[in-house]
Amino acid sequence: GPTRKMPLTASAMDFFQLFVPDNILKNMVVQTNMYAKKYQERFGSDDAWIDVTLTEMKAFLGYVISTSIHHCESVLSIWSSGFYSNKSIALIMTQSRFEKILKYFHIVAFRSSQTTHGLYKIQPFLDSLQNGFDSAFRPSQTQVLHEPLIDEDPIFIATCTERELRKRKKRKFSLWVRQCSSTGFICQIYVHLKEGSGADGLDALKNKPQLHSMVAKSLCQNASGKNYIIFTGPSITSLNLFEEFEKQEIYCCGLLSARKSDCTGLPPTMLNNPETPQSRGQYRIKMKGNMSLICWYNKGHFRFLTNAYSPVQQGVIIKRKSGEIPCPLAVEAFAAHLSYICKYDDKYSKYFISHKPNKTWQQVFWFAISIAINNAYILYKMSEAYHVTRYSRAQFGERLVKELLGLEDTSPSH
């Protein structure tokens, strides 16, 4: 749960600033102004530009964050006369001023000579965000490694033409997270670039299980020695990785797939389906030390690799139509924690920011901001402030937008 007690009067902005404090916003102001100055030195002066201020930077963020609530395809719709126009917030800043800030917006204006990383323009922000996640929240013992749903807004996809779909560029990065499975709080983010030079590009990532292991190790670098139980999907699950994690006192439970997983070191007899017909709930087990390989049948064969649960402990899967189906405890735990994450995705993925810039670092930035706001809402729901106001996720987002735009007084009432 949360590591600090927030006051009853804490606003949406207070929770958001646990992860994106004023010093980060002030740095955005400095870097944006530096970039604008350098750009104009190179390409000619821009008489319409005046240096951005902290108040304007907050309003700028507020406008883009508002697309996560109203799902307008372009943030500029706020100033239009169409369906997505929003007269109540459009008066804070003119459209032309917003577009100027959008043009020059930067987090790191210049590449240093030592920088080779493709995400150098956003890495300081991601590092700061990670520090905020670590210091504000203590996760439960059970966590999940997965890719959250960050695809296009389904409403837009259903209404746009094929031509519009073809025009939209595919994402050039993959986003993975380590997520607390009790609350949905995202503890760590890992961004993998598609166009990474060499063997660790995303195209190779799809084909090489060892690169999925690299993602898992990066996500769990702060987890060693804490006896966490990590649940993984087929692309990450492998015997070598689980044995390596066990040495760091990280325990695992993962679904195996003969097609997607690295099955090195596992007995082929357990990976092939038995010839004799199986009844639902039947399972076979093979063990090596603390590691168990479980093959369980339920309208198909499911294989699990775990060193976190005893294979002889019994569990049960409850289905609405067929009732209770017996299974090992590891299978029940995996199903319960994965279904929680599916509920999180259903509830929170629709609040990802709809604004889709062309630059990859900006796409990563807005996804990271979306995750920060979802985490802020989870902390708000666990605080005493929630019992005073009880905002839904949409209402929390609207409050945050208004506070960023200066339409709400965020100072505590006396």
Side-chain angles (χ1 to χ4, degrees), residues 223-239:
S224 58
K226 296 180 181 175
N227 287 315
Y228 287 153
I229 297 174
I230 305 290
F231 293 91
T232 61
S235 62
I236 291 178
T237 304
S238 83
L239 180 62

Side-chain angles (χ1 to χ4, degrees), residues 19-20 25 30 73 121 148 236 242 260 279 302 306 325 327 338 412:
F19 311 124
V20 188
L25 299 176
V30 171
E73 181 47 29
K121 285 197 172 185
I236 291 178
F242 283 15
K260 291 182 182 176
S279 58
F302 295 89
T306 183
I325 304 162
C327 66
L338 261 288

